[in-house]
């Protein structure tokens, strides 16, 4: 079993829909990251959080430390949100352990 | 403040050659992490370095791979005698970490290695 599990693996949505991506982890962590990667592209850090909730524009990330679970929400989704979203946890010597990613496609 | 720089962005090597990947961290950052993304797979940790010191190399293959982060200059990930299975995107990230505070890791654009 992977230490970081994401769901769903693939997600399609119509423009304007509310999107949720889930992440569960089984190790002790110092922080959790949500990352975005476009095809063939680099990696952009969206959030780093260790408790509660953070919001940036149309993106919201929450974490429940007791349940070892985090969610990434996208409100009013747009085709430019199409990308792979990756959950990663900081553990051990501060290295990142990654989930397998969620491939999101938003259609106009 | 320039971001994390990696070069080259694309590297083609024949089997048996050496590959050297460079990572210049953001200004003021003394910690570098290397990650590998194999085709159609997720990212995996390789090695974590501080200036002149390897902190964690638990993700490095036992043979042919080495990494360094000298006092001056970029961090180098070196792959000797490359094989087709080394073809991947290699990302580095840097952070200013000190003490017990957890800082953000900032990613470079990656080096895409192709072994022919």
């Amino acid at each position: 079993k992977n230490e970081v599990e994401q769901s769903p693996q693939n997600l399609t949505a119509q423009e304007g829909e509310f999107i949720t991506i889930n992440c569960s982890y089984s190790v002790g962590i110092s922080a959790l990251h949500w990352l975005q990667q476009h095809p063939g592209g680099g990696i952009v850090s969206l959030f780093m959080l260790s408790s509660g909730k953070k919001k940036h524009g149309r993106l919201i990330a929450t974490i429940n430390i007791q349940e070892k679970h985090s969610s990434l929400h996208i409100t009013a989704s747009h085709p430019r949100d199409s990308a792979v979203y990756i959950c990663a946890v900081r553990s051990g010597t501060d290295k990142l352990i990654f989930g397998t990613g969620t491939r999101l496609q938003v259609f106009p | 403040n320039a971001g994390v720089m990696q070069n080259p962005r694309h590297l083609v090597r024949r089997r048996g050659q050496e590959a050297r990947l460079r990572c210049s961290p953001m200004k003021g950052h003394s910690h570098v992490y290397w990650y590998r993304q194999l085709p159609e797979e997720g990212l995996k940790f390789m090695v974590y370095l501080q200036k002149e010191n390897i902190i964690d190399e638990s993700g490095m293959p036992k043979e042919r791979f080495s990494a360094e982060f000298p006092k001056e200059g970029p961090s180098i990930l070196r792959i000797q005698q490359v094989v087709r299975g080394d073809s991947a995107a290699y990302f580095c990230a840097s952070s200013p970490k000190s003490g017990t505070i957890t800082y953000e890791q900032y990613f470079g654009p990656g080096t895409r290695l192709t072994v022919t």
Side-chain angles (χ1 to χ4, degrees):
Chain A
K1 190 179 190 297
N2 291 335
E3 293 166 302
V4 181
E5 298 274 1
Q6 276 186 246
S7 64
Q9 282 192 304
N10 295 284
L11 186 54
T12 56
Q14 287 294 126
E15 185 173 355
E17 283 185 9
F18 181 84
I19 287 160
T20 295
I21 300 170
N22 294 300
C23 175
S24 296
Y25 54 92
S26 57
V27 294
I29 70 170
S30 57
L32 182 144
H33 296 248
W34 282 101
L35 309 168
Q36 180 193 57
Q37 185 176 30
H38 284 98
I43 297 166
V44 175
S45 180
L46 300 174
F47 295 103
M48 183 182 80
L49 63 168
S50 53
S51 65
K53 176 180 173 178
K54 286 190 176 180
K55 184 176 190 292
H56 185 252
R58 295 180 296 105
L59 301 178
I60 303 166
T62 64
I63 187 168
N64 184 318
I65 296 293
Q66 285 73 31
E67 294 186 4
K68 295 191 173 182
H69 181 269
S70 175
S71 293
L72 176 68
H73 306 285
I74 305 175
T75 61
S77 59
H78 191 276
R80 65 174 174 267
D81 297 327
S82 298
V84 176
Y85 292 84
I86 304 166
C87 170
V89 299
R90 297 280 275 274
S91 185
T93 55
D94 217 32
K95 64 190 178 193
L96 288 174
I97 304 171
F98 299 87
T100 51
T102 295
R103 190 176 301 273
L104 171 66
Q105 284 187 294
V106 182
F107 294 99
Chain B
N1 188 6
V4 179
M5 312 276 282
Q6 286 188 252
N7 67 79
R9 295 289 303 275
H10 299 273
L11 182 61
V12 179
R13 284 286 177 265
R14 291 200 189 97
R15 279 179 297 171
Q17 290 185 318
E18 178 179 287
R20 281 185 180 237
L21 287 61
R22 292 174 188 77
C23 170
S24 296
M26 287 179 71
K27 189 176 179 181
H29 288 194
S30 58
H31 296 254
V32 165
Y33 311 78
W34 284 94
Y35 300 99
R36 178 167 69 172
Q37 188 173 39
L38 292 165
E40 304 303 319
E41 290 190 24
L43 286 148
K44 294 278 194 289
F45 167 77
M46 298 184 78
V47 63
Y48 166 27
L49 308 110
Q50 194 180 352
K51 289 262 185 195
E52 299 184 285
N53 198 15
I54 296 175
I55 307 296
D56 183 348
E57 57 182 346
S58 59
M60 287 279 268
K62 293 288 183 279
E63 296 174 350
R64 302 187 296 107
F65 285 71
S66 62
E68 62 175 4
F69 188 16
K71 189 176 179 182
E72 301 291 337
S75 175
I76 307 281
L77 180 68
R78 183 180 175 211
I79 311 172
Q80 294 179 290
Q81 298 174 317
V82 295
V83 300
R84 288 224 173 98
D86 297 332
S87 296
Y90 292 81
F91 292 93
C92 81
S94 74
S95 81
K97 181 184 174 193
S98 65
T100 56
I101 298 172
T102 299
Y103 286 96
E104 181 72 74
Q105 287 187 20
Y106 296 87
F107 283 83
T111 293
R112 278 148 183 87
L113 172 65
T114 302
V115 179
T116 61

